[in-house]
Amino acid sequence: MTHRITLIPGDGIGTEITSAVVRIIEASGVEIKWDSFVAGAEALSRFGDPLPQPVLDSIRQNRVALKGPLTTPVGSGFASVNVRLRKTLDLYANLRPVRSLPGVKTPFGELDLVVVRENTEDLYSGLEHVVVPGVVESIKVITEKASTRIAKFAFEYAKQEGRKKVTAIHKANIMKLSDGLFLDCFRKVAVDYPDIAADDKIVDNACMQLVMRPQQFDVLLLENLYGDIISDLAAGLVGGLGIVPGANIGELGAVFEAVHGSAPDIAGMGIANPTAMLQSAILMLRYLNERDAAALIEKALIHTFAAKDVRTKDLGGTASTMEFTEAVVASMKELASA
Ligand code: NAI
């Protein structure tokens, strides 16, 4: 079956890392017809909009997109393209699997956890106002509908990926109504998944536990703001934003993307690390139910890190983007013929 997927190479290093990933996916044998679109800074200068309507139409039609990093123009009055994408397509679940890679040394040992973040409400609703001069209110919105659907998403993901536990992270001891509602919804949904353990932790304790005993966590479920902070903290446990993947998933579609930016300081030099983008593509292949290809590429990536002395500069090596890419393709061929 040929999948039709919207490809947004993005700004800065985007073209370099997406072409690396397209090369690896092609070598895996999965058939994809890519509909490629310009977005971000280049689209702004060419079309006056960093997120032109045809890009949104294509994602709506194909339901799946692979997206490189987009530069958010500073001071030009444009909202973040990434935020617009999430809002317009109602991509309510942010998924960030966090797993250590062999040879990428961190003080935290072997880790394999997944952060699920609610993407649409909480303190990100943009409801802020001045009550009287010197006093500002910022309104936190938590709804039963959004809390229930993200809890269901977390348990369904856990079930599908053979995960054992979902932990809700909250501050319901202080925000008794808002975080209390989020926690109640989580507990109600958990009842429908008796084979998956469910527990919860207060967010401050969860932060301490994440850096002291991170191995106790499996799937973490969080509201938008805690999720924003903890997903970056968790990425830091395994080596940072350069290697972890991300996805924004909704009922109308899913956008898979590396969580790092467009790295203007190294753009065009051919030395960007394609790992985060490749891991996002692996998530995409699983979403497309191309599970064998996803497993093969993942094994090849791990094999490349474990058995080959090939690293891009950000991880202390000297390999170019394409040298690293070809090493992954070679690993894939070795594993497929073994
Ligand atoms: P950045 O993530 O682009 O760069 C931070 C540092 O990490 C730089 O030194 C860069 O060279 C390095 N780096 C990032 N990705 C790398 C990779 N794959 N391989 C090797 N080194 C890598 O963050 P920065 O500089 O704050 O943002 C640059 C632009 O990217 C901004 O316009 C920002 O708005 C945008 N951005 C876009 C995101 C997205 O589209 N999802 C996410 C974050 C930032």
Side-chain angles (χ1 to χ4, degrees), residues 159-208:
K159 189 168 136 189
Q160 196 181 318
E161 298 299 323
R163 300 260 167 189
K164 304 277 180 278
K165 182 170 76 170
V166 180
T167 303
I169 313 283
H170 60 89
K171 192 81 185 172
N173 53 330
I174 301 297
M175 278 162 276
K176 292 180 193 300
L177 289 183
S178 53
D179 285 18
L181 176 59
F182 184 81
L183 189 55
D184 272 355
C185 294
F186 164 75
R187 287 182 174 144
K188 279 185 190 141
V189 171
V191 172
D192 295 332
Y193 298 86
D195 298 336
I196 299 167
D199 67 359
D200 66 276
K201 283 203 167 28
I202 293 173
V203 63
D204 39 347
N205 177 33
C207 288
M208 182 184 71

Side-chain angles (χ1 to χ4, degrees), residues 13 67 69-72 82 257 259-263 265-266 273 314:
I13 59 170
K67 174 188 148 305
L70 299 176
T71 300
T72 296
N82 300 307
E257 61 178 339
V259 290
H260 59 69
S262 53
D265 53 338
I266 57 164
N273 186 352
D314 55 309

Side-chain angles (χ1 to χ4, degrees), residues 292-304:
D292 291 347
L296 179 63
I297 298 176
E298 188 166 53
K299 272 191 203 140
L301 179 68
I302 290 170
H303 180 76
T304 306

Side-chain angles (χ1 to χ4, degrees), residues 231-282:
S231 55
D232 275 19
L233 186 157
L237 300 176
V238 298
L241 298 183
I243 57 173
V244 294
N248 291 298
I249 300 174
E251 267 136 37
L252 299 178
V255 176
F256 297 82
E257 61 178 339
V259 290
H260 59 69
S262 53
D265 53 338
I266 57 164
M269 294 166 73
I271 57 169
N273 186 352
T275 300
M277 195 73 201
L278 183 59
Q279 299 226 70
S280 308
I282 293 169

